Amino acid sequence: MKLENEIQETTESQAHCRKSHHPEPIKKDLTNRLNRIEGQIRGIKGMIEKDVYCDDIITQLAATQSALNSVAKVLLQGHLKGCVVDRLSEGDEEVLDELLVTIQKLMRK
């Protein structure tokens, strides 16, 4: 657990200095996906305010979670093919520890 905390602290501090470089079509796709998710969240909030049947709300929550997972998959794929490959080619093997922490975060769902 101590090692995991050290890795997480290191990656969080490093994350503040780095930027990703997504191609414009990927940025546009991610932004569109997130805009739809934002709309879904507003819709769920409205459903709760209108006392919609719980099962219907849960169905919408599941769809929203699936949409968020899709965004995470696109980002992870780009991260692996871009950032991770680049850093490994530069000899920076710490990126592997960072990647493990990231995968652990995704698997907590």
Side-chain angles (χ1 to χ4, degrees):
M1 189 67 163
K2 183 179 177 185
L3 177 60
E4 183 179 316
N5 289 341
E6 289 175 11
I7 292 169
Q8 187 167 355
E9 289 172 11
T10 301
T11 57
E12 285 174 357
S13 67
Q14 290 173 344
H16 297 294
C17 330
R18 295 189 307 261
K19 291 185 177 184
S20 61
H21 303 283
H22 301 290
E24 283 304 315
I26 299 294
K27 281 186 189 179
K28 184 173 174 120
D29 176 59
L30 290 170
T31 300
N32 288 338
R33 288 172 185 251
L34 291 169
N35 286 338
R36 283 193 300 273
I37 292 167
E38 185 177 20
Q40 286 177 295
I41 297 294
R42 281 194 304 269
I44 292 167
K45 181 180 174 187
M47 291 172 78
I48 291 170
E49 291 168 350
K50 294 175 186 170
D51 294 321
V52 171
Y53 186 59
C54 296
D55 190 58
D56 295 336
I57 297 171
I58 292 168
T59 299
Q60 289 304 310
L61 286 168
T64 303
Q65 185 63 55
S66 178
L68 282 169
N69 288 341
S70 292
V71 169
K73 287 176 190 175
V74 170
L75 285 169
L76 184 59
Q77 180 180 12
H79 184 57
L80 286 170
K81 290 183 175 182
C83 303
V84 173
V85 168
D86 290 347
R87 288 179 57 194
L88 284 172
S89 68
E90 294 168 0
D92 181 2
E93 292 189 15
E94 288 181 17
V95 71
L96 296 175
D97 292 329
E98 176 186 282
L99 182 59
L100 289 172
V101 171
T102 299
I103 291 171
Q104 288 174 351
K105 288 177 187 176
L106 287 173
M107 293 178 73
R108 287 185 193 149
K109 298 178 182 182

